[in-house]
Amino acid sequence: MSTPDALVSVLAPRLRMVAAVAETEHVTQAAEVLDMPQPTLSRALARLQEELGMALVERTGRGVRLTRAGRLLLPHVRRALEDLRAGLAELTDAEEGRVALTFLPTLGVEVVPALLRGFRARHPGVRFTLTQEAWAESLRRVSSGGADLALTSPLPSGPGLASATLHTQALRLVVPEDHPLASVTGGVRVAEAAGDEFILLKPGRGVRHLTDRLSDRAGFTPRVAFEADDIATARGLVAAGLGVAVLPARPRGPLGGTVELAIRGADTTRPIGVVWPEEGSGGGYEPPAVALFRAHVRRVGPSLIPDLTG
């Protein structure tokens, strides 16, 4: 792949001409810097000034210098070239790039900071644009090109997005400890709680999507006691006796006042993973820094996420 400087010469050759003439104050030397014949540079400068309707360069004996108009324009030319180079570096340089990452709120406390800390220790020049949002919004952001990667759950199944599972959590029917089902062993079916009120997560959350899918397949619509913003709140409200919920198993064991029951049937897991645009979408180009960070997430995430979620 071409370097940022080489790409700048493709995208902004006229800006480079003005900058080179200003730095060398000599057309021949400027032509050497630009790696072009001197007559070609002279003609290009003349054509540029004719199109602009103003002189940017004037002769001084054997050399040249910028006119007042040229001097006023020069700082903007230099700034434009530097900004362009920085942007191209983000596209081509794995050590200077930028990664736009969106992630679930539950992963923002420990998982994402741990992933970033480990990656930036080895690649300090890579910068990040971070967005914390629910499952549906994160997938839309990646699909629209607003983010390079998403750490989310569940993973998409349609076209346009690729994904890799980092960790899989078991879903449990969480009930208050005095609930009639609390003493059941061997697992229950979600339909056995059809008569209860449910603590659901708000629409657009991944766990809400999984709960809706389970209840749809079980043939009932949950009666809603409350729609929570996050898993921890839903779990706490179950402990308070406000209803039951379908939630990921808590790694440290059930919250006090609750019992977690295994759910019999299919689709009783919650995969957590990384999502990115499918190959060929978004112009078919992935910046090297994005590929580097995704590889880091896939390498480190499977051992990191189980210890820091729940």
Side-chain angles (χ1 to χ4, degrees):
M1 181 178 291
S2 299
T3 65
D5 287 333
L7 293 173
V8 167
S9 68
V10 173
L11 290 173
R14 287 180 157 185
L15 295 182
R16 291 184 71 238
M17 287 190 305
V18 174
V21 169
E23 289 164 8
T24 62
E25 295 190 338
H26 200 283
V27 174
T28 300
Q29 292 177 17
E32 292 174 357
V33 169
L34 297 169
D35 194 26
M36 67 170 57
Q38 181 269 324
T40 301
L41 175 58
S42 295
R43 288 194 298 270
L45 283 171
R47 187 162 53 250
L48 171 61
Q49 294 177 112
E50 181 180 352
E51 292 175 6
L52 290 175
M54 66 181 71
L56 300 178
V57 177
E58 60 185 359
R59 292 197 172 276
T60 57
R62 294 185 177 180
V64 294
R65 66 183 180 190
L66 296 183
T67 62
R68 175 170 173 76
R71 291 194 301 273
L72 289 172
L73 186 62
L74 181 61
H76 304 283
V77 168
R78 286 174 170 161
R79 189 158 53 246
L81 287 170
E82 182 55 36
D83 288 347
L84 184 57
R85 188 202 175 281
L88 290 167
E90 290 185 10
L91 292 177
T92 60
D93 193 333
E95 299 299 332
E96 292 188 43
R98 180 181 295 274
V99 179
L101 173 68
T102 176
F103 55 92
L104 293 177
T106 51
L107 300 179
V109 178
E110 297 181 78
V111 173
V112 171
L115 287 169
L116 295 179
R117 184 166 54 249
F119 181 79
R120 297 190 76 240
R122 301 181 64 181
H123 308 283
V126 176
R127 291 165 292 171
F128 286 83
T129 299
L130 304 176
T131 307
Q132 192 176 38
E133 58 195 347
W135 166 75
E137 285 81 2
S138 68
L139 294 186
R140 280 196 291 268
R141 190 177 295 274
V142 175
S143 295
S144 67
D148 301 306
L149 302 171
L151 288 170
T152 194
S153 174
L155 303 181
S157 57
L161 295 176
S163 63
T165 300
L166 304 174
H167 176 59
T168 300
Q169 295 176 312
L171 291 176
R172 297 285 187 254
L173 179 65
V174 184
V175 302
E177 59 184 359
D178 59 354
H179 191 278
L181 293 174
S183 60
V184 172
T185 59
V188 298
R189 295 189 180 278
V190 172
E192 295 180 56
D196 288 281
E197 290 191 317
F198 273 71
I199 309 297
L200 300 174
L201 268 67
K202 289 182 178 177
R205 272 63 174 175
V207 172
R208 172 62 178 269
H209 173 75
L210 294 172
T211 302
D212 288 346
R213 189 169 66 185
L214 280 172
S215 60
D216 285 346
R217 292 179 178 178
F220 75 97
T221 300
R223 292 188 297 124
V224 181
F226 184 76
E227 292 183 328
D229 280 309
D230 57 76
I231 292 171
T233 298
R235 205 183 298 276
L237 293 177
V238 173
L242 269 70
V244 303
V246 174
L247 299 172
R250 193 166 180 260
R252 295 179 292 277
L255 183 68
T258 71
V259 174
E260 296 187 355
L261 303 170
I263 300 173
R264 299 206 306 266
D267 297 325
T268 58
T269 59
R270 180 201 186 206
I272 300 173
V274 57
V275 178
W276 64 94
E278 197 171 44
E279 185 177 354
S281 63
Y285 178 77
E286 181 180 61
V290 174
L292 197 63
F293 182 66
R294 187 177 73 238
H296 170 77
V297 170
R298 296 185 68 175
R299 183 174 63 254
V300 176
S303 60
L304 180 67
I305 289 178
D307 295 331
L308 299 180
T309 55

